[in-house]
Amino acid sequence: MDLGTLITQVADNYDRNDSMDSAAQVLLRSAGTELAPLARGYTIVGRGGMGQGAYVPWIAVFDPDETETATRGLYVVYLFAADMSTVSLSLNQGVTDARKQWGSKARGRLADQSAAIRERLERSLITGLAETIDLHNTSQLPGDYEAGNLVARTYTIASMLSEQELRADLHRFIQLYQVAIEVRDGLAVSNPAVIVSPGPQPTLESQAEFKPKNSDDYIQTITGRTIRKSRKHETLVKEYGEHLIATGFDANTRVHPRDLVATRDDDEWLIEAKIVRKGNGVNAVREAIGQLLMYRKFVCPNPDGVRMLALFNEPVGEACVELLEELQIASVWQDNDHWVGSPTAHAAGLASAGAA
């Protein structure tokens, strides 16, 4: 279902006095499935209350590396006004945990954090976006959502934008989401008193480091370091691996530190997946090139017979694709519900435009 259609149908049919089995409530709960192709690697959840209908139903987009609940952290959310006349696409913050911790002071604390993050965002990133939203209800949660808003764009249900415009706005907010997380984390160090919704704590993981001595052998050293594991990365690898299996490849993810190895007949592919952060395809490509070349030379049993592919969660730009091709590295990226590949990838049958 299209994004605009889902939003409009919810607004046209929602009544908080209806049962949780009403058409609008069922549609809200289906948002994660219906809209999944629009934000791969993110978790989409729709809710209209628990047991009783909410004044303000919502559809949220969570970065699983940040949060998977609207109670804490930062997230992108469509907030329907209580009278269903508008819906606001908002970069917001968890209000429930703040309310538990700060009580009656929570709303002021949420507003302070919103202002602090917004002040440090580049003006060009938030041009044309509103600092406030009006959910047309004075109850506690709607008021907290209004205080938690960093930036927003509000749509009138009766004159909804085109599907293309809605998707472009969602993509913009998802990119802004990543910037806001970095700004918030910086504030947590420089001005911790203003932070109400801190991010998840890094965990201690083992990460392989390769220290090649010569072309004949290498030393693999496992060192403990504090890192934040990315679930978006894991989702990207999982989904592409499933796609490869469906197209006749054998795919193997148990090849640490490599992300993925795929084989079919006499073809063997070394695949490195990268999340493009804040639209910076150059950094993602740079990292992919370095790891692919290193892993092929020092990890693969038969380096000369291995082909390389860089996998991305979004396009990295024509110039970057051309550079990868020059280095004999194919590339594939996600485009909504399609896998799109560079010429080398197309020729190898690894992916094709329009393939699910």
Side-chain angles (χ1 to χ4, degrees), residues 174-226:
I174 288 174
Q175 290 189 321
L176 184 58
Y177 184 11
Q178 297 304 313
V179 179
I181 289 172
E182 290 190 9
V183 171
R184 188 274 318 278
D185 289 348
L187 281 169
V189 176
S190 64
N191 190 9
V194 79
I195 298 303
V196 179
S197 299
Q201 294 298 311
T203 55
L204 186 65
E205 298 284 352
S206 293
Q207 179 158 322
E209 294 184 350
F210 294 90
K211 299 181 179 180
K213 295 195 300 185
N214 54 49
S215 60
D216 297 323
D217 61 359
Y218 65 90
I219 298 174
Q220 182 180 25
T221 304
I222 305 297
T223 59
R225 61 167 56 176
T226 300

Side-chain angles (χ1 to χ4, degrees), residues 45-65:
V45 177
R47 289 288 184 270
M50 300 291 288
Q52 181 179 3
Y55 288 107
V56 174
W58 49 263
I59 300 171
V61 180
F62 301 122
D63 177 346
D65 298 335

Side-chain angles (χ1 to χ4, degrees), residues 43-290:
T43 302
I44 300 178
V45 177
R47 289 288 184 270
M50 300 291 288
Q52 181 179 3
Y55 288 107
V56 174
W58 49 263
I59 300 171
V61 180
F62 301 122
D63 177 346
D65 298 335
E66 165 72 7
T67 184
E68 287 190 302
T69 171
T71 64
R72 61 179 181 273
L74 300 180
Y75 58 97
V76 172
V77 62
Y78 291 95
L79 293 164
F80 292 83
D83 61 3
M84 297 296 123
S85 62
T86 64
V87 62
S88 295
L89 176 58
S90 169
L91 178 56
N92 217 294
Q93 53 190 309
V95 301
T96 304
D97 281 10
R99 177 65 62 173
K100 289 178 180 178
Q101 181 174 0
W102 301 103
S104 61
K105 297 180 180 179
R107 196 169 291 179
R109 294 293 303 253
L110 289 165
D112 288 345
Q113 176 170 286
S114 294
I117 296 175
R118 189 167 53 240
E119 181 182 346
R120 288 163 176 77
L121 294 172
E122 293 182 21
R123 295 298 95 187
S124 61
L125 296 177
I126 58 176
T127 299
L129 302 181
E131 296 183 4
T132 62
I133 55 176
D134 183 358
L135 299 176
H136 302 177
N137 189 273
T138 57
S139 299
Q140 179 178 296
L141 266 178
D144 288 348
Y145 293 148
E146 291 172 351
N149 177 70
L150 278 74
V151 291
R153 182 170 185 185
T154 297
Y155 312 105
T156 301
I157 297 297
S159 55
M160 187 60 65
L161 296 182
S162 69
E163 183 69 15
Q164 182 177 1
E165 291 172 304
L166 290 173
R167 293 189 182 203
D169 281 350
L170 178 58
H171 183 68
R172 177 186 182 184
F173 268 72
I174 288 174
Q175 290 189 321
L176 184 58
Y177 184 11
Q178 297 304 313
V179 179
I181 289 172
E182 290 190 9
V183 171
R184 188 274 318 278
D185 289 348
L187 281 169
V189 176
S190 64
N191 190 9
V194 79
I195 298 303
V196 179
S197 299
Q201 294 298 311
T203 55
L204 186 65
E205 298 284 352
S206 293
Q207 179 158 322
E209 294 184 350
F210 294 90
K211 299 181 179 180
K213 295 195 300 185
N214 54 49
S215 60
D216 297 323
D217 61 359
Y218 65 90
I219 298 174
Q220 182 180 25
T221 304
I222 305 297
T223 59
R225 61 167 56 176
T226 300
I227 61 174
R228 183 178 294 171
K229 298 288 284 184
S230 171
R231 291 183 62 184
K232 294 195 297 297
H233 175 272
E234 294 170 359
T235 299
L236 178 64
V237 172
K238 175 180 178 291
E239 291 183 347
Y240 191 60
E242 291 172 346
H243 167 70
L244 289 176
I245 291 171
T247 54
F249 280 85
D250 290 324
N252 185 5
T253 58
R254 296 183 177 180
V255 285
H256 181 76
R258 296 160 290 177
D259 285 335
L260 183 63
V261 169
T263 57
R264 185 172 64 184
D265 300 326
D266 295 329
D267 280 338
E268 180 179 351
W269 287 83
L270 170 64
I271 302 169
E272 184 66 25
K274 290 296 173 189
I275 299 297
V276 179
R277 303 188 185 281
K278 298 188 293 183
N280 193 336
V282 173
N283 279 351
V285 169
R286 183 187 298 122
E287 293 176 3
I289 289 172

